[in-house]
Amino acid sequence: MRTWQIERRKRTRHLIELGGLVVKAGIVDLTGDDRAMIYGALLWMAEKLQSDQGQHARAFWTAKGKQAFAAERATDTPTIS
């Protein structure tokens, strides 16, 4: 297999995993699969991370994500909050 094919598959897997997080968080259902709304929310997150509140948001969101992953592992069911 060629190097570019391997890299393309890695990138594709990465993008699929990120999309899975959007579904796992319930965003698709909550927005009615409104891609403009989802994209807008992601842009808002990016702005927040670049602001003077970025470190706080990063710490808060990381802790919340870790808590959700831990709860999911403990119950063996997906968590949506």
Side-chain angles (χ1 to χ4, degrees):
M1 189 172 297
R2 296 181 178 167
T3 304
W4 68 269
Q5 289 173 313
I6 293 169
E7 292 304 314
R8 183 175 178 195
R9 285 185 181 179
K10 283 182 190 178
R11 181 178 181 277
T12 299
R13 179 177 176 87
H14 182 73
L15 293 173
I16 290 168
E17 289 172 350
L18 291 173
L21 289 174
V22 173
V23 173
K24 184 182 207 81
I27 302 301
V28 174
D29 291 336
L30 290 169
T31 63
D33 200 9
D34 183 335
R35 290 159 195 221
M37 186 187 309
I38 294 169
Y39 186 43
L42 292 171
L43 291 172
W44 173 80
M45 277 180 58
E47 289 174 8
K48 187 76 152 177
L49 290 170
Q50 293 173 8
S51 75
D52 59 340
Q53 299 172 351
Q55 289 295 69
H56 174 72
R58 183 174 278 111
F60 179 77
W61 293 337
T62 298
K64 188 161 182 67
K66 286 180 179 181
Q67 182 182 35
F69 278 136
E72 184 177 325
R73 278 193 302 274
T75 63
D76 221 17
T77 58
T79 55
I80 298 175
S81 51

